Amino acid sequence: MGVVEKIQDIENEIKRTQKNKATEYHLGLLKAKLAKYRIQLIEGSQTKSEKGQGFEVQQSGDARVVMIGFPSVGKSTLLTKITDQESIAAGYEFTTLTCVPGKIQYNGATIQLLDLPGIIGGASQGKGRGKQVISVARTADIVLMMLDATKSAQQRPQLEAELEAIGIRLNQSFPNVSFKIKKAGGISFNAVVKLHYLDQKMVHNILHDYKIFNADVVIREDITVEQFIDVVLGNRRYVKCLYCYNKIDQISMEEVDRLAHQPDTVVVSCEDDLNLDYLVQCIWKKLDLMRVYTKKRGEAPDFDDGLIVRSGASVETVCHAIHRSLAQTFRYALVWGTSTKHNPQRVGMSHLVHDEDVIQVVKK
Ligand SMILES: Nc1nc2c(ncn2[C@@H]2O[C@H](COP(=O)(O)OP(=O)(O)OP(=O)(O)O)[C@@H](O)[C@H]2O)c(=O)[nH]1
Ligand SMILES: [K+]
Ligand SMILES: [Mg+2]
């Protein structure tokens, strides 16, 4: 029996099995098995020739946004509209057959946007070359899920399921669990919150199924079985997602209004240039990037030339962004901005900077 059939069998068994106290351990194990087979499918089944034909292109700029969507929803049209690059668009499916990168310039940052071929249902199971296409989403800072506003509402959960199946978790954060495999000592289990979906026995069962007999598990959040398996597997990607409904020129105002009120959603019309500026703003916000300025002693900061760093960045990260060796000669930094109480304030490497802060590094 092939892996795809095994997966189907387990999925059927999960569907058939009634959810109750008596079956929950069995269900937990089935889910662990399912996760294992899915991994085999992604990692094990690529032949040599397939590997050479990935859709990966070189990372460039400050962040990467990857468009994922069914055919002919307008991905290429969008790339041509909001980046410096043209990607051919047409009224037939699978117009785009490669990965086409473009650049968005915004607030001094360069954001890479990738246009990809459309995917079809079952892509994660290797249908078409969909698996390679959606795998590119693993490298994204944001998945821009492109949807056709004139098509069925089903397209969104379908795409989400495809991404789930290759280990991508959309708009979720890494479960608050610490998990360490040890050489000996058995399994120690600790939960600091009340758990509703998981208990010690289930954790043991799942770990044994993965042939893990010695580990420390500390759970600090009321997680599900699936989330625990994610932690054990350790190869999940937690990626932000923005849902973009295109072609709103074709639907009623009421419908536009309804779609626009969903969380993490932007409605646009590439054809009529509706809301495209707002989409770029939303991408920028979602990326959570910051712009900080550096200055030399006795000189004014150069506000035209900021440094782009991730939110939560420290002075150390800023030093690295200025010059690779700066951290070694670092004595302290003077910071002006909202991250400090006094302006300027003398801070060390670990100080966390804020958007728009000005930083002067004092060397040894
Ligand atoms: N009405 C309308 N049509 C649009 C809009 N955006 C794109 N289209 C049309 O939709 C069709 C498909 O556009 P593409 O940009 O090729 O779509 P795609 O998602 O890149 O398609 P594939 O590469 O084949 O997966 C073209 O005929 C576009 O002109 C829009 O906002 N409104
Ligand atoms: K098309
Ligand atoms: Mg296209």
Side-chain angles (χ1 to χ4, degrees):
M1 190 159 49
V3 180
V4 173
E5 289 81 43
K6 281 183 191 157
I7 288 177
Q8 246 148 32
D9 271 11
I10 298 174
E11 279 175 344
N12 289 338
E13 190 173 343
I14 291 177
K15 260 186 224 144
R16 272 200 313 270
T17 310
Q18 240 178 18
K19 254 195 187 163
N20 57 44
K21 264 276 164 235
T23 59
E24 65 181 4
Y25 293 107
H26 183 58
L27 277 172
L29 274 184
L30 287 176
K31 286 173 185 170
K33 283 217 173 68
L34 194 60
K36 253 200 283 193
Y37 286 131
R38 286 229 172 94
I39 287 183
Q40 273 185 27
L41 200 63
I42 309 159
E43 290 170 356
S45 65
Q46 273 190 353
T47 62
K48 268 199 190 127
S49 64
E50 272 177 330
K51 268 188 186 149
Q53 314 174 331
F55 290 96
E56 191 45 73
V57 300
Q58 197 170 358
Q59 202 111 19
S60 83
D62 300 297
R64 172 179 271 194
V65 178
V66 174
M67 276 190 277
I68 295 287
F70 289 118
S72 276
V73 295
K75 300 180 290 300
S76 303
T77 311
L78 181 67
L79 187 97
T80 303
K81 287 274 174 171
I82 66 174
T83 74
D84 58 339
Q85 174 73 39
E86 186 182 346
S87 184
I88 292 164
Y92 55 89
E93 304 199 335
F94 302 106
T95 310
T96 310
L97 293 171
T98 58
C99 179
V100 183
K103 288 193 196 103
I104 304 171
Q105 305 289 354
Y106 192 76
N107 270 354
T110 305
I111 303 162
Q112 185 181 45
L113 179 67
L114 299 186
D115 181 24
L116 285 161
I119 65 161
I120 48 172
S124 58
Q125 300 178 2
K127 281 216 180 114
R129 292 176 64 209
K131 204 166 66 190
Q132 283 106 308
V133 174
I134 42 176
S135 292
V136 179
R138 288 180 69 95
T139 67
D141 294 298
I142 293 182
V143 166
L144 185 61
M145 193 176 284
M146 285 295 286
L147 302 154
D148 184 332
T150 67
K151 295 260 169 74
S152 132
Q154 270 306 100
Q155 44 174 351
R156 179 171 153 173
Q158 272 170 14
L159 281 175
E160 286 172 333
E162 297 291 344
L163 291 163
E164 269 291 299
I166 65 151
I168 293 174
R169 301 292 173 261
L170 298 175
N171 292 336
Q172 285 182 36
S173 48
F174 188 83
N176 194 351
V177 172
S178 91
F179 173 67
K180 284 193 201 89
I181 296 182
K182 297 181 301 185
K183 291 234 161 72
I187 289 169
S188 88
F189 173 88
N190 226 312
V192 301
V193 292
K194 190 166 167 44
L195 299 179
H196 293 91
Y197 315 100
L198 199 67
D199 62 19
Q200 182 160 10
K201 187 175 163 201
M202 214 180 292
V203 163
H204 272 248
N205 282 348
I206 292 168
L207 291 177
H208 280 198
D209 195 53
Y210 282 101
K211 309 238 177 335
I212 296 167
F213 303 102
N214 301 293
D216 286 337
V217 181
V218 184
I219 301 184
R220 301 191 191 84
E221 190 188 338
D222 189 13
I223 55 167
T224 61
V225 171
E226 284 84 355
Q227 284 177 300
F228 182 66
I229 293 169
D230 283 349
V231 171
V232 175
L233 290 173
N235 60 354
R236 301 326 202 187
R237 286 277 305 162
Y238 296 83
V239 183
K240 295 174 192 176
C241 178
L242 204 55
Y243 299 91
C244 179
Y245 287 90
N246 185 28
K247 309 196 185 182
I248 57 167
D249 51 286
Q250 300 287 313
I251 60 172
S252 69
M253 280 310 287
E254 290 75 26
E255 191 58 6
V256 171
D257 195 51
R258 195 186 60 76
L259 292 175
H261 278 88
Q262 300 184 128
D264 300 310
T265 301
V266 184
V267 297
V268 300
S269 165
C270 292
E271 195 129 297
D272 291 358
D273 274 327
L274 291 173
N275 241 5
L276 296 180
D277 291 343
Y278 179 65
L279 172 63
V280 174
Q281 258 178 50
C282 290
I283 290 173
W284 166 260
K285 260 204 200 134
K286 192 101 183 152
L287 282 171
D288 216 3
L289 298 174
M290 301 190 296
R291 201 139 79 114
V292 297
Y293 305 97
T294 55
K295 79 176 219 55
K296 293 199 175 105
R297 202 178 139 198
E299 287 177 23
D302 182 1
F303 286 113
D304 292 328
D305 189 23
L307 279 174
I308 302 290
V309 289
R310 313 254 146 172
S311 146
S314 62
V315 168
E316 186 171 5
T317 318
V318 174
C319 284
H320 282 297
I322 299 169
H323 192 271
R324 227 184 309 148
S325 65
L326 186 57
Q328 284 151 26
T329 52
F330 178 90
R331 225 172 105 211
Y332 62 87
L334 293 172
V335 176
W336 293 255
T338 59
S339 73
T340 58
K341 274 200 204 117
H342 318 285
N343 278 317
Q345 187 173 314
R346 199 174 150 149
V347 302
M349 285 275 215
S350 60
H351 177 79
L352 300 183
V353 296
H354 282 182
D355 193 23
E356 308 272 294
D357 274 3
V358 173
I359 296 151
Q360 180 190 327
V361 174
V362 178
K363 292 196 252 182
K364 280 184 210 158

